[in-house]
Amino acid sequence: MKTSIAVLTAGAAITAVGVAQLVQKDRQHKQNVDAELSRIQIEWLTRTSQDEQEAARWAPEGFEPKQYQRLVSGNRMLCQLSVRWRLGKVTRRQLHLHADQLMMNANCRDYWKQFHSYREAEAQGNRRDETFNRVIGDAYTRAMNLVA
């Protein structure tokens, strides 16, 4: 092999490794940002589900603070599972298992009944979030058939 071909081949290999590292760093950065934003959201959901005055400030019109606290508690449980799913810490089989368990909780079911359409609209175009919502929706349907 000529020296010039060897140098070009080595240069291409080094470039490919560099690009792969940049792609990986970008993916990790996005995951870190997602995890941090999720942490902030879950902290807010925790505070709101435990503090009636906070719930009163944020409750949509027509909701009593205690009622809204129950829904926020259900949302918090779903958000905790959602972030684990988005970060790849839960397999699809585990997602189904956890979704069924969460939907055994009345707060999760009531939250999903009230706000699923918002979550579905928010997830449009994001395949991972759409999959999560589909699994949660299926678990909700199964749970409602059991409690009926």
Side-chain angles (χ1 to χ4, degrees), residues 7 15 31 33 40 43 57 68 76 84 91 96 109 113 145 148:
V7 169
T15 301
Q31 284 183 333
V33 168
I40 292 166
E43 283 180 2
R57 281 191 284 276
Y68 187 60
R76 182 184 69 219
R84 291 176 63 213
T91 66
H96 285 274
R109 289 192 310 271
K113 178 181 179 182
N145 288 335

Side-chain angles (χ1 to χ4, degrees), residues 8-52:
L8 285 174
T9 303
I14 291 170
T15 301
V17 168
V19 169
Q21 286 179 334
L22 287 175
V23 168
Q24 179 64 23
K25 281 186 180 184
D26 183 58
R27 184 178 300 129
Q28 286 175 337
H29 175 71
K30 287 177 181 176
Q31 284 183 333
N32 288 340
V33 168
D34 188 30
E36 182 62 17
L37 291 173
S38 294
R39 183 191 63 75
I40 292 166
Q41 179 184 18
I42 290 168
E43 283 180 2
W44 178 84
L45 291 167
T46 300
R47 189 174 54 253
T48 304
S49 69
Q50 295 172 351
D51 182 343
E52 192 171 342

Side-chain angles (χ1 to χ4, degrees), residues 124-142:
Q124 276 185 337
N126 183 316
R127 199 175 78 232
R128 197 143 180 93
D129 288 348
E130 288 174 345
T131 298
F132 179 84
N133 287 340
R134 191 170 35 260
V135 169
I136 295 297
D138 291 346
Y140 171 80
T141 300
R142 285 189 298 277

